[in-house]
Amino acid sequence: GAACPSAGQIRAAFLRFFEERHGHRRLPSAPVRPRGDPRLLFVNAGMNQFKPIFLGTVHPRSELAQHRRVVNSQKCVRAGGKHNDLEDVGRDTYHHTFFEMLGNWSFGDYFKEEACSMAWELLTEVYEIPRDRLYVTYFGGDPSLGLSADEECRDVWLSLGVPASHVLPFPLKDNFWEMGDTGPCGPCTEIHYDHVGGGRNAAALVNQGSPDVVEIWNLVFMQYSREVEGNLLPLPQHHVDTGMGLERLVTLLQNKRSNYDTDLFTPILDAIHKGCKAPRYQGLVGDADAGRVNMAYRVVADHVRTLCVCITDGIYPGFSGAELVLRRILRRAVRFCSEVLQAPPGLLASLVPTVVEVLGDAYPELTKNANQISDIINENEAAFLSSLERGRHIIERTVQQMEPSTNFPVEVAWSLYGSLGFPLDLIDLMLEEKGISLDSAAFNELVLEDAKRKAGGPQAGRPGNTNTHLDVHSLAWLQSSSVPATDDSPKYAYTLGQHGQYEFSPCQATVLMLYRDQSLHKEVGAGQRCGVILDRTNFYAEQGGQDSDQGYMIRLGQQEVLFPVESVRLCGGYVIHEVTAVEGLRAGDQVQLFVDEAQRLACMTNHTATHLLNFALRRVLGDSTQQRGSHVTAEQLRFDFDAKGHVTVEQLQQVEQVVQDLIQKNEVVHMAEVPLRLARSVQGLRAVDEGYPDPVRIVSLGVPVENVLTRDSEAAMQTSVELCCGTHLLQTGSVEDLAIISERQLVKGISRVIAVTGGRAKEAREIGQCLAMEVDSVSLRMKQRITSIPEMQNLSKEVGQLTKMVSSTAMPQWQRKELQTILKALQRTANTAIKKLELQQAEKAAQTLLAKYCNQPVIIDTVPADSLSILMKVVNQLCDKSPGTSVLLLSPQASGEVLCACQVSKNCLPAFSAADWAVAVCTQMEGKAGGSPIVAKGSGNAKGMQGALTTALEFAQSKL
């Protein structure tokens, strides 16, 4: 044991070997948040950051393009998406959500011989792994793709002294690597290790899923590109991409059989044991693991590593994409901590220093961010534990009230899911423990309904919309009965905490009346959807272009019953909350209201950003620019305004810059209610044409409202001052960033922009940068002298694909316009070049045939041609140069298809028709044809080509 190298030494030896012995450049790990790749949730392989090199899209002047041979240890996360190991983690001793991938790469430098020889040298000489325990596999070929076995690779291994009985061929699924459905690919060779050894031959166990014989290193030789049509073409440059999981390698070199028994995990497992009441970790799995205690150890140890790495790299637990997956990881770890390990709250965050100790040397960014990681884990854990506690009470109470042998009420499950963020699998698990099931189909219907409602925006077919839209009679009754209007001032009751986080106060209220099916009620039964009118509320009702809040309410003294609030409307001074009554509700009930804080904060950010944008548009386009409408959601903001024409690229850039400057200044957002008459007298005030309440709320950036109101003040000319009832940030810095991702004319004179803020804006910029580099790369390749038509057609196809991506991807609009202009010009250049090359090819072929047939009345022959349009051009050229000649040419293609083109001399009409001639010939080849009496074209099958040539001649002779 003492002689075993540590994980740190093993990692360092790998990097040092390639850097010092073999001249590789050592690169740091990329962050696990993918840059500019919207298809990926997390970086899940070492090659992600090098994709532009493999795809040929790397900018020739970029640092990336200078690399020839590199080595690194890459942080990887596989959870969610295609590589979803999350539910397997903990059940066995080798699945992980976070792992390290050791890799060495060659970009057009060395290939199979050097790659295999370096790998063998490292494993057998540096790590001193016994040679007789190693087995190598190579690609055994695939006749259906026309690929022969990779004998070159096999011979390299044999020449390195690997016995023939340890060099094994495997088919496509095991030994051919592909990046995706299309793109770079190639054969790979894998190195496997036999844990048992002892002189036995374990060849029969390789790739058979045996825990005794495991793959440790994969060497991929990228030499082909899979095209859209499915065929393989050789890559212009050969690359090597190798990947060896550090955890597996350490297990082997430390003479262990489980990754969790290595020093990558044992310090964390020890720290878990110190912090909980459970017995020490014993490495048990399956039925032997009573009470799933060992599984819990593994889950927590794995998940806390993932949390540390992701939070450091800027992925925080959240509500969509990678953030949502991380939230699930955190909550899964918290459950195992509290329920299985019986640990007190805070265990998870207490493990952060140990993770930093284990991984900090390799990834120094962890050390720098340790406190922030702990804080974020603690905040999220506290929120989840309180949700968990309440959820458990709700389930317990509901189960007690249920009739025996019935399904759990779907409405209750929905309120747990929607309001407390309970994952469905968690609800299922808690019910399973009680021997009760949930009607999943009915639950999924609610999920679908909710998704539709969200997708459609504020007005789209909400089934409950009638419950929030008071009819005229009900409104009249409320007013005549002196039911007071709702006091919604608590919606503005929030403050900034000392760490810059927003704190929202809950609000207590009384149910005044209930509304459903277009009538008022004093009471509604369980399971009914209704509108709830309260005396006061902290919920923001949908108005002023801002989406309504969501959240839930509880009855005072009944913490475990949640009434989800799905939408909120203002109607005649009454705020109506659309609610599904989990239990009966009646007028006079006392309730407490909780707003969905993440959604509210996102709306606040986007609403303040809308004011910044309005100001910036006026500053850049002139004071006559008037707002025509806006819509603020948690995801984005939309802004409509007067415009004489399209906004130019330069103007879009200037607008974004003005907004950036205001964000940088971190101006205070001043808000105050003032008499409408006074507000209207403010010079430079921005207001849209709508009925404002009196008093009205003024929102002023950087200048206190009282200064704006003083007589002759021009403060509102220099900053954003608007009449607005929306909820706003308290300082502009929290917007972080704004990117305009769309700008178009709705109708003549009115333009619409869509913008995103914060992390979404940053992501849009990163994607824009990546696409700009790809366009740049195509431009440079287009400038090279290309003489091959297929090569030019491929470039043209690439331009087409990029054009599609640029028009459909969320990226800064100014950049989209720039790239679209460049791509349009490139497409024209490519089309012109293809036409020119086709004409040259046609001219050459026509000259050869003219010399061969010299003014004969009929020319029938086969010629090579890359496309039907080239073949047609050859026929046209021949007939132009020899007007009395009728011509029919066939061109066999690599695919087995035969192209046909013909033209009949005008002297031979009407007896001789080109269309009839082509049909006769192509029918002979089991194909189709068509055209006019003068020119026609078609295609058929190569099998019938000889017969077709005979038919062509006989047909012509019969007509002439």
Side-chain angles (χ1 to χ4, degrees):
C4 285
S6 70
Q9 289 168 330
I10 292 166
R11 189 194 295 109
F14 181 91
L15 298 169
R16 200 167 49 242
F17 171 81
F18 283 101
E19 188 179 14
E20 293 174 10
R21 279 203 206 182
H22 295 287
H24 286 60
R25 181 160 182 200
R26 180 173 169 179
L27 295 181
S29 168
V32 291
R33 179 189 280 285
R35 285 182 64 81
D37 192 341
R39 291 166 290 247
L40 273 185
L41 288 171
F42 303 97
V43 164
N44 59 18
M47 52 71 66
N48 289 157
Q49 65 172 311
F50 304 120
K51 250 186 187 178
I53 299 179
F54 301 139
L55 294 168
T57 56
V58 63
H59 192 290
R61 292 194 297 275
S62 72
E63 192 183 7
L64 201 55
Q66 311 315 312
H67 298 323
R68 284 294 163 265
R69 44 175 78 189
V70 301
V71 62
N72 86 343
S73 174
Q74 174 63 46
K75 300 176 289 190
C76 298
V77 173
R78 284 190 185 170
K82 183 176 149 194
H83 296 289
N84 191 358
D85 290 351
L86 186 55
E87 292 312 313
D88 293 321
V89 173
R91 294 183 199 281
D92 54 39
T93 60
Y94 50 86
H95 271 101
H96 301 291
T97 50
F98 164 74
F99 61 97
E100 296 175 70
M101 188 65 92
L102 302 170
N104 60 293
W105 284 268
S106 160
F107 307 119
D109 186 351
Y110 58 81
F111 206 45
K112 295 177 186 178
E113 190 176 347
E114 297 92 323
C116 295
S117 133
M118 286 188 267
W120 193 248
E121 181 189 351
L122 175 68
L123 295 178
T124 60
E125 293 176 26
V126 177
Y127 290 140
E128 297 179 353
I129 297 172
R131 292 162 185 251
D132 63 348
R133 288 197 180 206
L134 295 173
Y135 294 80
V136 295
T137 65
Y138 67 94
F139 177 52
D142 191 303
S144 69
L145 283 172
L147 293 174
S148 53
D150 191 357
E151 289 171 2
E152 180 191 355
C153 177
R154 180 199 64 192
D155 294 345
V156 168
W157 287 120
L158 294 173
S159 72
L160 289 167
V162 183
S165 61
H166 284 222
V167 182
L168 314 166
F170 278 90
L172 197 78
K173 75 177 179 69
D174 295 305
N175 279 73
F176 196 88
W177 184 88
E178 308 213 27
M179 189 186 281
D181 297 333
T182 58
C185 57
C188 62
T189 181
E190 293 178 344
I191 304 169
H192 295 249
Y193 174 77
D194 176 18
H195 275 283
V196 176
R200 70 169 185 166
N201 187 326
L205 295 174
V206 171
N207 276 339
Q208 298 306 310
S210 163
D212 294 336
V213 180
V214 294
E215 175 217 329
I216 54 168
W217 203 348
N218 188 6
L219 284 62
V220 177
F221 306 122
M222 292 194 201
Q223 60 189 97
Y224 301 108
S225 170
R226 189 178 284 287
E227 302 300 293
V228 180
E229 295 79 20
N231 57 316
L232 295 174
L233 292 181
L235 277 176
Q237 258 200 336
H238 289 172
H239 306 298
V240 174
D241 160 16
T242 88
M244 174 157 58
L246 176 71
E247 293 75 11
R248 224 176 243 195
L249 178 65
V250 173
T251 302
L252 177 169
L253 293 175
Q254 293 184 354
N255 299 316
K256 306 292 184 192
R257 292 301 296 272
S258 157
N259 296 354
Y260 291 93
D261 292 339
T262 67
D263 64 344
L264 285 168
F265 288 93
T266 48
I268 304 170
L269 295 168
D270 290 344
I272 295 170
H273 177 63
K274 281 190 193 122
C276 74
K277 301 183 178 116
R280 192 171 278 284
Y281 177 70
Q282 295 170 282
L284 303 172
V285 292
D287 294 339
D289 181 19
R292 301 193 304 164
V293 170
N294 290 266
M295 177 179 176
Y297 268 102
R298 289 188 289 268
V299 166
V300 175
D302 171 89
H303 288 9
V304 74
R305 285 167 30 110
T306 305
L307 287 161
C308 289
V309 166
C310 287
I311 292 168
T312 293
D313 286 349
I315 301 173
Y316 303 152
F319 296 91
S320 64
E323 282 80 6
L324 180 61
V325 176
L326 198 66
R327 182 177 184 236
R328 284 185 60 208
I329 288 171
L330 182 133
R331 292 186 158 203
R332 188 168 185 254
V334 169
R335 279 199 74 211
F336 276 99
C337 278
S338 68
E339 293 178 16
V340 182
L341 298 174
Q342 307 285 301
L347 171 68
L348 208 51
S350 76
L351 303 174
V352 172
T354 311
V355 175
V356 171
E357 211 175 290
V358 174
L359 296 173
D361 286 347
Y363 309 109
E365 59 274 19
L366 283 167
T367 313
K368 205 169 79 186
N369 294 302
N371 291 339
Q372 185 201 16
I373 298 167
S374 298
D375 290 348
I376 288 171
I377 290 176
N378 273 332
E379 279 167 28
N380 280 275
E381 180 180 33
F384 182 50
L385 283 173
S386 88
S387 299
L388 210 56
E389 202 46 51
R390 298 179 69 177
R392 210 176 275 111
H393 281 310
I394 291 168
I395 289 173
E396 297 280 357
R397 192 168 166 279
T398 310
V399 169
Q400 282 165 14
Q401 294 172 354
M402 276 168 59
E403 298 289 322
S405 70
T406 52
N407 275 342
F408 190 78
V410 141
E411 299 80 20
V412 178
W414 174 250
S415 83
L416 285 169
Y417 176 79
S419 304
L420 291 183
F422 255 60
L424 182 55
D425 58 341
L426 189 54
I427 298 169
D428 276 337
L429 211 68
M430 286 181 161
L431 293 178
E432 199 182 299
E433 287 161 8
K434 299 186 179 303
I436 292 167
S437 60
L438 173 70
D439 181 349
S440 296
F443 184 88
N444 289 337
E445 235 169 84
L446 286 174
V447 174
L448 217 63
E449 200 179 286
D450 185 60
K452 272 187 199 159
R453 193 161 57 239
K454 280 178 179 158
Q459 303 299 336
R462 290 192 174 169
N465 240 358
T466 53
N467 296 329
T468 53
H469 221 302
L470 290 176
D471 66 293
V472 65
H473 308 294
S474 300
L475 262 173
W477 186 90
L478 287 167
Q479 286 155 357
S480 65
S481 306
S482 302
V483 175
T486 311
D487 168 20
D488 65 351
S489 59
K491 70 187 177 190
Y492 299 125
Y494 49 88
T495 54
L496 258 180
Q498 62 185 97
H499 300 301
Q501 80 286 8
Y502 281 80
E503 290 169 354
F504 300 85
S505 322
C507 167
Q508 202 170 308
T510 305
V511 177
L512 298 179
M513 198 55 77
L514 301 153
Y515 183 74
R516 75 181 305 267
D517 297 336
Q518 299 215 299
S519 62
L520 293 161
H521 300 263
K522 292 256 180 189
E523 189 172 343
V524 295
Q528 294 187 318
R529 211 187 209 127
C530 65
V532 180
I533 301 170
L534 302 167
D535 64 338
R536 60 202 303 273
T537 184
N538 60 346
F539 275 73
Y540 183 82
E542 182 189 318
Q543 56 181 322
Q546 180 179 325
D547 260 7
S548 75
D549 281 339
Q550 291 173 346
Y552 62 92
M553 57 175 79
I554 58 170
R555 225 188 317 240
L556 278 189
Q558 253 187 314
Q559 303 296 315
E560 61 275 14
V561 183
L562 270 69
F563 298 85
V565 176
E566 289 164 19
S567 69
V568 189
R569 279 183 84 93
L570 184 64
C571 212
Y574 299 102
V575 177
I576 302 104
H577 308 71
E578 189 186 7
V579 159
T580 301
V582 179
E583 283 192 2
L585 260 178
R586 56 177 66 87
D589 279 351
Q590 300 286 301
V591 292
Q592 200 166 11
L593 306 170
F594 296 87
V595 164
D596 178 334
E597 294 180 7
Q599 192 237 4
R600 159 70 83 86
L601 186 54
C603 283
M604 284 161 54
T605 303
N606 286 343
H607 205 146
T608 301
T610 305
H611 285 215
L612 299 179
L613 180 65
N614 189 358
F615 173 75
L617 284 164
R618 262 185 150 175
R619 171 65 55 92
V620 173
L621 302 178
D623 281 341
S624 61
T625 309
Q626 290 294 329
Q627 178 178 342
R628 288 289 173 194
S630 68
H631 185 208
V632 173
T633 69
E635 288 73 38
Q636 62 180 40
L637 61 103
R638 194 190 73 210
F639 192 81
D640 301 345
F641 59 97
D642 290 339
K644 293 184 174 64
H646 271 301
V647 185
T648 66
V649 166
E650 292 71 29
Q651 286 170 331
L652 285 168
Q653 286 174 307
Q654 287 165 11
V655 168
E656 280 191 6
Q657 193 51 57
V658 172
V659 174
Q660 299 291 350
D661 294 346
L662 287 166
I663 293 170
Q664 290 299 314
K665 283 181 184 166
N666 198 17
E667 299 276 21
V668 173
V669 181
H670 297 276
M671 292 168 270
E673 284 199 341
V674 301
L676 187 57
R677 178 187 50 76
L678 208 56
R680 291 252 189 238
S681 65
V682 173
Q683 285 186 60
L685 177 83
R686 285 156 194 75
V688 285
D689 187 22
E690 69 177 38
Y692 287 100
D694 192 3
V696 69
R697 197 168 168 80
I698 285 188
V699 178
S700 167
L701 300 187
V703 179
V705 174
E706 55 266 34
N707 296 10
V708 168
L709 292 172
T710 55
R711 188 189 289 279
D712 301 326
S713 164
E714 290 193 358
M717 310 289 278
Q718 308 308 318
T719 186
S720 163
V721 180
E722 289 193 40
L723 301 184
C724 180
C725 60
T727 55
H728 285 271
L729 296 171
L730 301 174
Q731 290 183 287
T732 59
S734 304
V735 176
E736 291 177 359
D737 192 5
L738 175 137
I740 295 169
I741 56 168
S742 164
E743 182 276 329
R744 65 188 178 93
Q745 278 206 314
L746 286 182
V747 291
K748 202 159 177 56
I750 295 183
S751 274
R752 166 172 289 175
V753 294
I754 292 172
V756 288
T757 58
R760 286 174 194 258
K762 186 183 173 202
E763 199 175 316
R765 291 190 196 287
E766 284 180 3
I767 289 168
Q769 282 304 105
C770 288
L771 286 171
M773 284 167 74
E774 287 188 43
V775 171
D776 225 332
S777 163
V778 174
S779 298
L780 286 165
R781 282 179 284 149
M782 197 76 88
K783 283 173 187 158
Q784 291 158 5
R785 223 176 111 74
I786 295 172
T787 52
S788 136
I789 292 174
E791 206 179 322
M792 203 54 177
Q793 282 170 333
N794 276 342
L795 262 183
S796 171
K797 199 192 290 180
E798 212 178 309
V799 171
Q801 285 166 343
L802 271 174
T803 303
K804 258 189 202 158
M805 278 185 79
V806 165
S807 65
S808 64
T809 308
M811 63 188 286
Q813 179 68 6
W814 63 263
Q815 196 170 26
R816 189 194 320 276
K817 285 184 163 186
E818 269 188 358
L819 296 183
Q820 283 172 330
T821 306
I822 296 167
L823 287 165
K824 217 172 187 174
L826 287 176
Q827 196 67 73
R828 277 200 301 271
T829 306
N831 293 347
T832 308
I834 290 166
K835 275 185 191 150
K836 197 173 168 187
L837 289 168
E838 283 182 350
L839 267 172
Q840 286 169 1
Q841 196 182 78
E843 239 162 35
K844 209 170 164 189
Q847 291 292 356
T848 311
L849 288 166
L850 272 175
K852 182 176 173 183
Y853 289 101
C854 200
N855 293 335
Q856 288 187 20
V858 177
I859 297 175
I860 296 166
D861 209 336
T862 62
V863 291
D866 287 327
S867 67
L868 195 50
S869 83
I870 297 175
L871 191 63
M872 201 75 232
K873 284 187 176 86
V874 179
V875 171
N876 298 153
Q877 298 250 4
L878 275 171
C879 293
D880 286 350
K881 291 191 165 94
S882 177
T885 306
S886 297
V887 180
L888 183 140
L889 298 178
L890 298 180
S891 179
Q893 303 294 298
S895 61
E897 186 187 28
V898 175
L899 307 177
C900 167
C902 65
Q903 184 170 335
V904 168
S905 168
K906 285 178 184 165
N907 309 343
C908 305
L909 296 173
F912 193 1
S913 154
D916 294 347
W917 197 14
V919 167
V921 171
C922 290
T923 305
Q924 182 69 37
M925 300 187 291
E926 299 172 355
K928 289 181 179 167
S932 69
I934 297 177
V935 289
K937 58 190 176 185
S939 64
N941 199 307
K943 279 184 248 173
M945 192 169 82
Q946 284 316 113
L949 289 166
T950 312
T951 302
L953 187 59
E954 286 170 358
F955 186 94
Q957 285 168 343
S958 72
K959 300 293 178 189
L960 292 172

